[in-house]
Amino acid sequence: MICPKQLIPAFTMFVASDGYQCVINKIIGEAIFTKANQPSLKIDGLGNMNKAAQKRYELFLRLWLKNGKDFVLRFQAQALMLKVA
């Protein structure tokens, strides 16, 4: 499963809001999210994800369908604010 580029910032903020810590490896262009007692989530700049990240992305999509457009817009706004700061 691949996360579309335009959704990567919103998905990243979704994962971070659940307590995951992010480390970005600029050399290989990959973000790695870690949380105690949870598998690491990996996503690259093209949207490729490991299995754990794919499961989390499925949850993100289900919550989007359940809660509507504002769910994603909130995370996109957070990502934009973080980018500006």
Side-chain angles (χ1 to χ4, degrees):
M1 181 180 301
I2 296 176
C3 180
K5 282 188 176 184
Q6 64 269 26
L7 281 180
I8 291 174
F11 177 61
T12 300
M13 295 307 301
F14 170 74
V15 171
S17 71
D18 192 33
Y20 281 83
Q21 300 296 316
C22 180
V23 174
I24 298 175
N25 186 332
K26 291 183 180 182
I27 295 171
I28 61 173
E30 183 176 69
I32 303 169
F33 297 89
T34 58
K35 184 177 177 180
N37 301 320
Q38 296 292 326
S40 294
L41 311 177
K42 296 180 183 181
I43 184 168
D44 68 17
L46 300 175
N48 297 312
M49 299 176 277
N50 67 352
K51 292 289 183 187
Q54 289 178 22
K55 287 183 180 181
R56 197 79 186 151
Y57 184 63
E58 288 176 19
L59 174 63
F60 172 77
L61 294 176
R62 277 185 274 155
L63 289 171
W64 182 5
L65 287 173
K66 180 180 178 183
N67 298 308
K69 186 177 178 179
D70 288 339
F71 175 77
V72 172
L73 292 177
R74 179 173 46 114
F75 289 119
Q76 286 178 333
Q78 290 175 357
L80 182 62
M81 288 174 31
L82 190 61
K83 187 176 181 178
V84 171

